Amino acid sequence: MSITIRQAQLQDAHAVVPLIIDAIGDIANRLTGEQTFASVEQALIVLFKREDNRHSYLNTFVAVKDEQVLGVLVYYNGEQAIEMDANLVRWLEAKNAPNIVIDKEAHEDEYYIDTICVAPEARGKGIGTLLLQFAEEQTKKLGFKKLSLNVETQKEDARRLYERMGYVITEPWSIIDEPFHHMVKQI
């Protein structure tokens, strides 16, 4: 299988957004201020097409085969997240969204894997590993020493995968009042 990883493009929105929702679950409701799947999806498409927030196409990379999106990686600098989340809060306030709290997800000295997801039909083929390796290579090129992610405490299989790839749990974390492990890999 010949998989390439490239920067997401605006036209990828309809393939990327369902994968983001699959990966982040209820966090998508908080980030969009919406409750139904259709309205969450539409709001995330809007955010994906903007350039000023964590789920922008500018922070998104896709694993593709024959231009079919098989996986997604949302990835950014922890310091940049501060401004991106402030922009997101302003957007949510302008639409009178309920519960406008955007939890910090990374330290400023880390590059952060916000979202990683492989399409159901492509799982088990190493695409997630390719996306993680891509993030490591990019982090190194950008001169950062730490790559981090958060994994829900009950997702033990995912935690074990990240540990096999060299990530270690550094601290407990909370996102939308749910417990996560903050995991870091030294690059």
Side-chain angles (χ1 to χ4, degrees):
M1 183 184 311
S2 177
I3 303 291
T4 57
I5 298 175
R6 63 165 170 78
Q7 177 81 51
Q9 301 165 358
L10 292 173
Q11 63 267 26
D12 295 325
H14 292 284
V16 167
V17 166
L19 293 176
I20 291 173
I21 294 169
D22 185 25
I24 68 174
D26 291 342
I27 296 170
N29 298 46
R30 178 82 56 97
L31 293 177
T32 61
E34 301 295 341
Q35 295 305 314
T36 68
F37 181 86
S39 56
V40 167
E41 187 175 41
Q42 283 308 113
L44 270 175
I45 288 171
V46 168
L47 290 173
F48 179 83
K49 291 181 176 183
R50 291 174 57 136
E51 298 183 353
D52 65 347
N53 70 92
R54 60 169 75 180
H55 283 99
S56 168
Y57 71 97
L58 294 176
N59 301 319
T60 304
F61 296 87
V62 290
V64 295
K65 180 181 180 193
D66 302 325
E67 283 308 303
Q68 179 185 356
V69 173
L70 299 177
V72 62
L73 168 73
V74 178
Y75 163 82
Y76 49 81
N77 170 316
E79 187 174 357
Q80 292 170 318
I82 297 167
E83 183 178 337
M84 290 189 298
D85 288 350
N87 292 335
L88 184 56
V89 166
R90 283 190 290 278
W91 179 75
L92 289 165
E93 287 172 345
K95 60 186 271 185
N96 294 315
N99 205 1
I100 304 173
V101 175
I102 305 301
D103 294 316
K104 180 179 176 177
E105 294 188 23
H107 295 293
E108 288 82 2
D109 66 338
E110 301 169 342
Y111 243 84
Y112 177 64
I113 297 173
D114 180 294
T115 307
I116 189 166
C117 188
V118 175
E121 69 275 11
R123 291 180 183 158
K125 297 180 176 163
I127 295 169
T129 300
L130 287 174
L131 288 165
L132 288 168
Q133 290 168 339
F134 175 82
E136 291 172 21
E137 292 164 13
Q138 291 299 110
T139 300
K140 193 177 291 183
K141 284 180 191 174
L142 294 165
F144 277 74
K145 304 286 186 228
K146 294 183 200 174
L147 179 59
S148 69
L149 52 82
N150 290 307
V151 62
E152 293 168 273
T153 56
Q154 72 270 21
K155 291 190 175 178
E156 293 181 22
D157 289 342
R159 179 190 48 78
R160 282 192 292 272
L161 166 67
Y162 300 138
E163 287 173 339
R164 281 194 305 275
M165 295 202 58
Y167 290 82
V168 295
I169 296 171
T170 58
E171 62 193 295
W173 209 272
S174 179
I175 302 172
I176 64 166
D177 300 321
E178 296 293 326
F180 283 75
H181 295 300
H182 190 69
M183 302 185 76
V184 175
K185 180 171 185 175
Q186 298 294 325
I187 302 296

